[in-house]
Amino acid sequence: MIGDWNSQAGRDDYRGKYDAAMQDLPAPAAVRDVRTEYGEVRVYRFAGAAGSEPLVLLPGTSSGTPVWADSLKHLLAITDVYAIDLLGEPGMSVQTAPITSDEDKAAWLDQTLEALPEERFNLLGLSIGGWTAMNLAVRRPERVATVTTLDAVNVYDGIPLGTVLRSLPAAVKWLPRSWRDRFNSYTAGGKPVEHVPVADMIESGMKNYTIRQPQPRRITEEQLAALPMPVLAIIAGRSVMHRPATARSTAERALRTKTVAFYPDASHAISGEHPADIAADLRAFLLEHS
């Protein structure tokens, strides 16, 4: 089974909202579609300050590169940035072969990085993007210099049952938009999401694209402890995608570098709420561990 758009009209709706949200980002220096054995992966390159190995940004589910609108200018002050649309998710990447395991998910990302000119990368993943970065680090670490996770799901704690139950109506494509907006507002700490370009894009992806790949398995504490590269865990204190106190204690216990930043007032929409703080913590982390 391959993830795809439910209709051409749905794809066009998402593309229009994606393009509108991209207007809030700096113009990319380059855009390319990298061919992997699982499909073509959209990669944007943004030119930043001279620094360490480039950052690779991995977005949350049902979003894409525009989700970094508030963060990107701060990150470009650190180093060059690649932004990737996840394969098998809404975005400009196009899945052409089944993704049937966590190993497959690591393989397509590893093949994407292999096609880029640099040898090693600093991964920065938001939500499921944090899991995607960590999954690569666990399974194919050779190209990974560091990993930074932004309120990652299924890494330091599982998703609470209450959040799973709240998400179910939002997954029903034919229900009104208000159901999806209600869930997205819930994950963003109750903030309104109507008429917000990135939120419009995410809602359209949820409605118009069907993801067909297995749910990610939780990264174990043993896997975290065995990681050869430095890891920075940034955890939102008001997140509903895990139990923040549990996630924090797991990260502090398991990560070899013991680098954990806890933002007590942040929701799961942390990348838009604290972009300058995230960049400052990331800069200090990279300076310490480069």
Side-chain angles (χ1 to χ4, degrees):
M1 300 289 284
I2 297 173
D4 202 358
W5 301 99
N6 302 327
S7 68
Q8 184 61 44
R11 183 189 185 282
D12 292 344
D13 180 78
Y14 176 86
R15 179 62 186 262
K17 291 171 179 173
Y18 181 105
D19 289 346
M22 280 291 288
Q23 298 304 307
D24 292 331
L25 277 69
V31 181
R32 63 183 293 192
D33 294 314
V34 175
R35 184 173 295 277
T36 74
E37 64 181 288
Y38 302 92
E40 291 190 347
V41 178
R42 171 62 57 90
V43 180
Y44 299 91
R45 179 181 175 273
F46 298 89
S52 59
E53 291 96 343
L55 287 169
V56 173
L57 309 186
L58 301 167
T61 192
S62 296
S63 57
T65 292
V67 80
W68 301 104
D70 294 316
S71 302
L72 190 54
K73 66 180 180 180
H74 300 281
L75 299 174
L76 289 173
I78 302 174
T79 188
D80 288 345
V81 169
Y82 290 104
I84 292 177
D85 286 0
L86 300 182
L87 195 60
E89 294 263 359
M92 296 301 108
S93 296
V94 180
Q95 185 182 355
T96 58
I99 297 172
T100 62
S101 67
D102 292 345
E103 174 58 35
D104 288 347
K105 296 175 186 181
W108 74 253
L109 181 53
D110 186 59
Q111 291 168 23
T112 302
L113 298 183
E114 184 180 18
L116 303 180
E118 295 84 3
E119 294 185 0
R120 283 161 57 82
F121 304 87
N122 298 301
L123 305 186
L124 173 61
L126 170 66
S127 188
I128 194 64
W131 178 92
T132 302
M134 197 65 80
N135 183 58
L136 180 69
V138 166
R139 298 174 185 279
R140 301 197 179 192
E142 293 78 16
R143 301 181 215 282
V144 183
T146 69
V147 178
T148 299
T149 59
L150 288 181
D151 212 48
V153 298
N154 272 350
V155 175
Y156 311 109
D157 190 26
I159 300 175
L161 178 59
T163 297
V164 173
L165 294 176
R166 281 177 175 264
S167 74
L168 295 178
V172 179
K173 310 292 186 184
W174 51 263
L175 284 176
R177 171 175 176 162
S178 60
W179 290 82
R180 290 177 289 279
D181 283 345
R182 192 174 300 127
F183 178 72
N184 290 334
S185 175
Y186 170 68
T187 65
K191 298 179 183 67
V193 297
E194 295 83 359
H195 312 299
V196 177
V198 167
D200 288 343
M201 174 194 68
I202 292 172
E203 185 278 329
S204 181
M206 294 171 69
K207 177 182 178 181
N208 294 306
Y209 190 94
T210 299
I211 299 170
R212 296 185 177 95
Q213 55 183 295
Q215 290 294 314
R217 288 180 293 179
R218 167 90 181 271
I219 305 293
T220 68
E221 286 195 39
E222 291 76 17
Q223 289 172 321
L224 292 173
L227 288 171
M229 75 290 294
V231 177
L232 169 62
I234 299 179
I235 296 169
R238 297 176 58 227
S239 178
V240 297
M241 301 306 292
H242 50 70
R243 295 167 296 176
T246 299
R248 181 182 187 178
S249 63
T250 299
E252 290 175 341
R253 183 171 59 249
L255 294 179
R256 177 175 52 83
T257 48
K258 308 301 180 187
T259 40
V260 181
F262 190 76
Y263 293 17
D265 64 338
S267 77
H268 192 58
I270 187 172
S271 62
E273 295 169 344
H274 293 273
D277 295 329
I278 290 166
D281 283 338
L282 178 59
R283 182 194 294 273
F285 170 70
L286 293 178
L287 285 173
E288 182 180 354
H289 294 285
S290 294

